[in-house]
Amino acid sequence: MSQQYPPQPQQPGYGEPQQPGSNGLATTALVLGIIAVVVSFIPVLNIVVWPLAILGIVFGAIGLSKAGKVRKGKGAGITGLITSAVAIIMFFAMNALFFSAVDNASKELDKSYDSTAVGDGKSKTGGAKKSKVMKDFKLTKCDVVTGDFGITEMAIHVDYANNGDRRYSYYVEGEVLADGKKVDDFMSTAENLAPGQKFTDNHAGALVTADEIKDAKKLECKTIKASRTDF
């Protein structure tokens, strides 16, 4: 009778192949990289790309190094590194495009808005620095009149003529001076004038009392600021 031997336990490393281990860092890098790329397309708010991309690069590098030992995560680690780097590049590209667009829009807005600055006060009809808007209006009357119930008031008339190539609305600010001393402000507007259209504002009055101007030898109206806005 042959002798029977009990079965021997199988030693590690023999028989079935060893299963690969886990590589969570590589997977995390992949997820962070993808999120960073998506967020990078949102100008200004994409500042959060930096922590995401930096962590993605760090985890991707560690995960890629670990992939050789655990035989898992090499592709995820490489993809995490690439997407994180792409996210940083997209951060600069998208913000550059955004701020360039904002700058261009600002320049276009400036083209549609003409404004004068404070003048020197030497001209009865102005004193504001020369600009395109100054060619579109003129102070044609600056006198004291007696209105209803014998009330003394200012009569200030402003004539407008749109010399531009589009519709404009106008806004004029000024001062009333008696013998060189300011006694009140006045304001005049003209709304939505078509190219070539004219308009006279007969109600650009100022609340000047009789006592303020009764002894004045010289009365004048001075333009302080004028602007026009297109449509």
Side-chain angles (χ1 to χ4, degrees):
M1 177 181 289
S2 60
Q3 187 176 1
Q4 299 293 325
Y5 295 95
Q8 299 294 320
Q10 192 172 19
Q11 298 295 322
Y14 296 93
E16 295 182 1
Q18 184 178 0
Q19 296 296 321
S22 63
N23 195 342
L25 290 178
T27 304
T28 302
L30 174 61
V31 173
L32 290 173
I34 293 174
I35 295 175
V37 169
V38 174
V39 176
S40 68
F41 284 90
I42 308 174
V44 182
L45 295 179
N46 59 7
I47 189 68
V48 298
V49 160
W50 284 100
L52 294 173
I54 291 174
L55 288 175
I57 291 173
V58 172
F59 290 164
I62 298 174
L64 190 60
S65 175
K66 186 179 178 182
K69 300 177 181 179
V70 300
R71 295 186 296 162
K72 186 177 182 180
K74 182 176 180 180
I78 293 175
T79 305
L81 288 171
I82 294 174
T83 52
S84 296
V86 169
I88 293 175
I89 295 173
M90 290 302 300
F91 166 83
F92 288 108
M94 294 304 297
N95 282 333
L97 290 173
F98 173 75
F99 288 112
S100 176
V102 170
D103 184 59
N104 290 335
S106 177
K107 290 179 180 178
E108 288 298 321
L109 182 61
D110 288 341
K111 290 180 181 178
S112 69
Y113 181 82
D114 295 320
S115 177
T116 62
V118 176
D120 55 17
K122 295 180 180 180
S123 172
K124 178 179 178 180
T125 60
K129 294 180 180 178
K130 297 297 182 181
S131 70
K132 292 180 180 180
V133 67
M134 292 298 293
K135 299 178 182 179
D136 287 4
F137 80 94
K138 182 179 181 181
L139 287 169
T140 55
K141 188 172 185 178
C142 180
D143 296 321
V144 178
V145 298
T146 301
D148 297 336
F149 308 106
I151 298 176
T152 302
E153 59 186 20
M154 290 292 303
I156 303 174
H157 295 179
V158 183
D159 288 347
Y160 295 90
N162 185 354
N163 296 304
D165 58 355
R166 65 192 75 176
R167 286 183 174 273
Y168 283 106
S169 286
Y170 296 85
Y171 175 77
V172 176
E173 291 181 13
E175 295 178 345
V176 178
L177 296 95
D179 295 331
K181 180 181 178 181
K182 176 183 173 181
V183 293
D184 205 353
D185 298 307
F186 73 88
M187 180 187 72
S188 173
T189 60
E191 299 293 334
N192 197 18
L193 299 186
Q197 183 177 354
K198 296 181 179 180
F199 171 76
T200 298
D201 180 12
N202 297 323
H203 303 286
L207 300 177
V208 179
T209 65
D211 291 338
E212 291 175 310
I213 56 177
K214 65 179 181 179
D215 297 325
K217 297 179 180 179
K218 182 180 179 182
L219 191 67
E220 59 182 333
C221 298
K222 183 179 75 170
T223 301
I224 298 300
K225 183 178 180 181
S227 62
R228 68 180 186 181
T229 307
D230 75 344
F231 291 84

